Amino acid sequence: MKKGIIITLLGGTFWGISGTMGQFLFQTYHLNTMWLTTMRMIFAGIILLATCFIKDTKKTLSIWENKNDVFQLVLFAILGLMFCQYSYMTAIYYSNSSTAAILQYLNPIFIMFYTCLVCKRLPYKKELLCVALAFGGTFILATHGNIHEMVLSFEGLFWGVLAGLAASFYSLLPRHIMNKYGSLIPTGYAMIIGGVVLGVIGRVWNISFSLDVYGYLGLVGIIVIGTVLAFSMYLIGVNLIGPMRASLIAAVEPLSATICMCLWLHSPFTLIDVLGFIMIMSTIFILSYKKKS
């Protein structure tokens, strides 16, 4: 249990740090979000798939034998991973790593709405409370309580909320293929597929960029630390302590992004931002709480 908690904490922390690395690259080198997301997805996917091929080549290739599985994989790659990664990085570009990470954790609210729709039921009382907290926290982050002035840019708010919606797609779409093939194989393929599609849409080969040693270190950090290691550690944590505990512990991501952003980039984060942070993050714990019989 202790080992699982520590590994999951590290995975969530690495996710938060990678967001701040992205903010550093945007602020210092003015990188294009589509280019950065494409590079992150393709190279992380290659590393993950290489690991899968070394472990079990036959199983890694078997996903292509079933048309329904291939369809779900492509759907997960584009609507899940590509949408999630691009909207999150764009939210960082227009705001900061902390705000983007917090708004991404609106995804339980979208999943809750989906569940109510599928089950044809009204939200429970605690779910309505979470909706109120989520809207209230988002409002505070965007306006600092002043309805006449937006502190957060419209683009930052828009892409942050989209990142939350995309994260819910990311959670719901691959359930069947991940149960069948494990998490690494579908994610590795989806990273490459989504990265290639995004690169073609954005024609990233025409995008010019200029990086020094620190820029390349930041790029490698996002790919290796913030994607490959973070995701692998989270999956190890799921195996050791279960998906519910792992998902709650991995919610350390916004906290690590905030601390890293303040200490490294010296970006401001006020007390009223903390209030919005707490309101949104509390929805995760409320929705996951179940009374013992």
Side-chain angles (χ1 to χ4, degrees):
M1 181 65 72
K2 289 181 180 179
K3 181 181 178 182
I5 290 172
I6 291 170
I7 290 174
T8 309
L9 273 173
L10 281 174
T13 301
F14 286 167
W15 268 326
I17 292 173
S18 74
T20 307
M21 287 180 178
Q23 183 179 341
F24 164 73
L25 291 174
F26 291 141
Q27 290 181 353
T28 309
Y29 303 98
H30 309 289
L31 288 184
N32 179 278
T33 54
M34 201 165 280
W35 183 89
L36 180 58
T37 307
T38 299
M39 296 301 108
R40 176 184 189 177
M41 292 183 70
I42 290 176
F43 284 104
I46 290 171
I47 295 171
L48 287 173
L49 268 188
T51 306
C52 295
F53 272 106
I54 292 169
K55 286 184 177 181
D56 193 337
T57 303
K58 186 177 179 181
K59 186 178 180 181
T60 305
L61 292 172
S62 64
I63 193 171
W64 299 103
E65 296 172 2
N66 187 301
K67 290 181 180 180
N68 289 331
D69 293 345
V70 172
F71 176 75
Q72 287 192 27
L73 175 63
V74 173
L75 204 63
F76 169 53
I78 297 173
L79 286 182
L81 261 177
M82 187 188 82
F83 184 27
C84 183
Q85 294 287 332
Y86 177 68
S87 57
Y88 176 58
M89 295 306 291
T90 308
I92 293 174
Y93 180 85
Y94 284 112
S95 57
N96 56 62
S97 59
S98 175
T99 303
I102 294 167
L103 290 175
Q104 190 180 40
Y105 274 85
L106 290 170
N107 76 86
I109 302 299
F110 291 111
I111 293 175
M112 183 267 294
F113 281 128
Y114 170 79
T115 304
C116 291
L117 186 65
V118 169
C119 297
K120 297 178 181 178
R121 65 168 177 84
L122 294 173
Y124 301 133
K125 289 181 181 179
K126 72 173 184 179
E127 292 172 338
L128 290 173
L129 171 63
C130 289
V131 172
L133 286 169
F135 276 106
T138 305
F139 172 77
I140 286 173
L141 286 175
T143 66
H144 282 187
N146 183 357
I147 60 173
H148 302 293
E149 184 178 356
M150 287 278 287
V151 177
L152 179 63
S153 70
F154 171 78
E155 291 87 354
L157 178 61
F158 174 78
W159 285 104
V161 173
L162 272 189
L165 178 62
S168 65
F169 290 165
Y170 171 84
S171 301
L172 294 169
L173 286 172
R175 291 171 67 183
H176 168 71
I177 54 176
M178 284 194 174
N179 288 334
K180 190 173 180 180
Y181 302 99
S183 299
L184 285 180
I185 293 172
T187 302
Y189 279 122
M191 283 275 188
I192 295 175
I193 294 169
V196 170
V197 171
L198 184 65
V200 171
I201 292 172
R203 297 186 178 186
V204 295
W205 55 86
N206 290 328
I207 297 173
S208 60
F209 64 94
S210 178
L211 296 176
D212 56 17
V213 174
Y214 296 108
Y216 281 110
L217 284 174
L219 181 60
V220 171
I222 287 177
I223 294 168
V224 177
I225 297 174
T227 309
V228 177
L229 285 181
F231 186 79
S232 300
M233 286 180 168
Y234 175 73
L235 289 180
I236 293 171
V238 168
N239 289 329
L240 291 175
I241 61 177
M244 180 63 75
R245 288 194 184 97
S247 63
L248 291 174
I249 293 170
V252 72
E253 177 189 353
L255 179 61
S256 66
T258 302
I259 294 172
C260 189
M261 181 188 74
C262 293
L263 294 179
W264 179 20
L265 302 180
H266 307 291
S267 298
F269 198 77
T270 64
L271 285 175
I272 196 156
D273 288 321
V274 174
L275 177 60
F277 177 110
I278 293 172
M279 290 174 72
I280 291 175
M281 297 307 295
S282 66
T283 62
I284 301 171
F285 298 93
I286 295 171
L287 287 172
S288 62
Y289 174 76
K290 293 181 179 179
K291 291 182 179 179
K292 293 182 180 179
S293 59

